Structure formats: C-alpha cells, structure tokens
Amino acid sequence: MDYPNDQAPGAPVRSGIPEHGRVPKYYAVKARIDRLVEELGEGGSLPTERDLSERYEVARETVRQAIRELVLEGKLRRQGRGTVVAGPKLEQPLSLASYTEGVRRQGRTPGRNLVTLDRFPCPDALAAETGLRRGEPVWHLERVLLADEERVGLESTYVAVARVPRLDSDFDPDSSFYAWIKSQDIRFGDADERIETVLATPREALLIGTPPALPMLLIHRVSRDTEGQPLERVRTLYRGDRFSFTTRLHG
C-alpha cells in the first residue's frame, strides 16, 4: 500500500479512500473543503453553499452533506446564517481534576450556569451504584458547562446531604465543585469512570444549545474519598464537536 509523503500522524490511512478506489462524491468535496478550512483559519467565513457548488462543480446537496460532516467533527460551526471555521477542540484530561482546571490550562475561561439544585431520597439505582444508603437525602446539582461563554456540556452531580449539608447556602454554583469540596476538608481518593457516545435528549440538547443529532461524549464517574467512602456520582455530557479526552498510560 502506498502512503502519501505528507500523511499526517493519526490521519486516516490514504485519507480514508477505500481499497476499491471509489470515493463518494461528497467525501471528495469534504476533503477539498477541509483543506480550505486550514487556509481560512479559526473564525474565517466559509463561502456559501452556492459558491462552493460552483467552485467544485457539484450539486448543492453534495456540498451540504460535506459541510454537515465537518460541523459534526467540530471543524466548522454555524454562525447566524453562515458557517465559520471553529477553534481547536478542548482537551480534557481523564483524571481526578476539575473541569475548571482542564479549561484554564488551555487559556480558556470556564464557567457554569445553574439549572437546578434540589434534594431527594436516594433511589435504589443510585444507592446500588455508589454505596449510599437507600432513602438517605442526596443533593442533585445540575449545571451547564461553559468555555468562554460558549455552552459545551451539561453536568449532573449527586452527593449525600450528610457530607455537604450546606451545599445550597455555602457553594457558588459558578465555581468548581472539586475545589469547594476540598475546602470542606474532604479529599478525593479514587474513582471509577466510564465513557460512551450518545445522543442528547431533547431537553439536554436545548440546555446545551445543540441539535439533538449532534454526538455527545458521556462520562459516568463514581468517586470515593481517601477512606473509600462514597463521595459523588457525576454524569457529564460533553459536545463531541468541542471536546477530546487525554490520558497518559504507564507500562
């Protein structure tokens, strides 16, 4: 198999061309628009579908499909009635660190908008997953995640009221929950984490401000303190077009 000399590390082999050599027309157009995106740079305005269809001599629907995929991949974003080049994806480390730390490390400004903070008896499913007692009071903290005022995710945190009884009065919902927990002399020990891809529900998509068809990265985390006692259960949706996750593995 021949590889182009300018093959980027990690890029699809032979730019994703199938072995039989028959490339879908929209994919060929997508590759050309992708190169144009690199030339335009972040914030650059993409020509209209009509202009692109005339430039590449294809139907507007072919151009539309190519652009749709580039939007889903996070390389383009809609702005008003036009389309512009998106910035690089946010890299979030897979570690017991807060969202705030990860975003600030990349020179962005983190933020959160409170959706709800309420308390209810711990249901069976949550008790079985975390080790909390069935029926004991738990807080549910739900917040929209922001990066430079852009909505990029939705976070739901469950924690026993007994661990943080004054959460509703002492905690600033726009701040880091991890930092606040540590200020209460509680230390994180370890956690179990699972990642999967999902589509947002209509409610979630509305809160995050994305179309329901946009793929999401869903992270489930159950954390314990240094004594091995259950601390929190977190369910976080991240926009698949705006996030990637990193970790370092040791042999």
Side-chain angles (χ1 to χ4, degrees):
M1 179 183 292
D2 294 327
Y3 292 84
N5 293 329
D6 60 351
Q7 176 80 42
V13 174
R14 297 179 61 197
S15 299
I17 299 172
E19 305 309 315
H20 54 58
R22 293 190 295 274
V23 182
K25 184 175 293 186
Y26 88 88
Y27 188 87
V29 172
K30 175 185 171 185
R32 298 176 74 176
I33 295 176
D34 198 8
R35 288 194 292 271
L36 177 60
V37 164
E38 294 181 5
E39 295 172 6
L40 291 172
E42 182 178 351
S45 296
L46 195 71
T48 66
E49 291 179 2
R50 173 180 292 179
D51 290 341
L52 290 171
S53 65
E54 292 176 355
R55 178 185 302 190
Y56 302 135
E57 299 180 338
V58 295
R60 288 183 64 176
E61 180 54 39
T62 302
V63 170
R64 189 172 296 123
Q65 183 176 356
I67 292 175
R68 188 182 302 122
E69 288 203 1
L70 290 169
V71 169
L72 290 175
E73 291 175 6
K75 295 180 178 180
L76 295 171
R77 61 182 174 85
R78 305 294 187 183
Q79 182 171 291
R81 300 185 64 181
T83 305
V84 299
V85 178
K89 289 188 177 184
L90 290 159
E91 292 186 0
Q92 189 74 353
L94 289 173
S95 64
L96 270 174
S98 73
Y99 168 79
T100 298
E101 295 170 8
V103 173
R104 281 181 177 160
R105 192 177 297 121
Q106 295 167 79
R108 307 285 293 275
T109 302
R112 297 168 179 82
N113 286 338
L114 178 66
V115 178
T116 183
L117 173 59
D118 52 13
R119 54 186 289 176
F120 56 88
C122 182
D124 290 336
L126 183 60
E129 188 177 14
T130 61
L132 296 171
R133 298 189 311 277
R134 176 183 177 275
E136 73 168 296
V138 296
W139 293 111
H140 172 224
L141 172 66
E142 185 179 35
R143 298 180 293 175
V144 173
L145 303 177
L146 308 174
D148 291 343
E149 298 300 324
E150 178 186 14
R151 289 178 284 174
V152 293
L154 181 67
E155 180 183 77
S156 289
T157 302
Y158 302 86
V159 60
V161 172
R163 298 301 299 265
V164 285
R166 298 179 61 83
L167 180 67
D168 59 339
S169 59
D170 293 356
F171 174 64
D172 176 7
D174 186 44
S175 67
S176 166
F177 179 71
Y178 277 39
W180 184 78
I181 279 283
K182 291 176 181 178
S183 74
Q184 306 301 301
D185 293 326
I186 300 173
R187 295 292 178 264
F188 285 91
D190 60 14
D192 296 320
E193 195 161 79
R194 186 176 83 253
I195 304 176
E196 57 185 304
T197 56
V198 298
L199 296 178
T201 66
R203 174 182 179 272
E204 291 167 338
L206 183 63
L207 286 170
I208 302 172
T210 60
L214 181 71
M216 297 281 177
L217 295 168
L218 173 60
I219 291 190
H220 301 270
R221 175 184 287 181
V222 177
S223 303
R224 292 168 289 272
D225 63 18
T226 53
E227 303 298 321
Q229 297 301 308
L231 186 50
E232 62 162 3
R233 200 286 193 199
V234 182
R235 178 185 188 276
T236 310
L237 275 175
Y238 292 97
R239 286 175 51 170
D241 64 333
R242 300 303 297 129
F243 271 91
S244 64
F245 291 88
T246 63
T247 188
R248 174 170 292 183
L249 305 177
H250 299 277

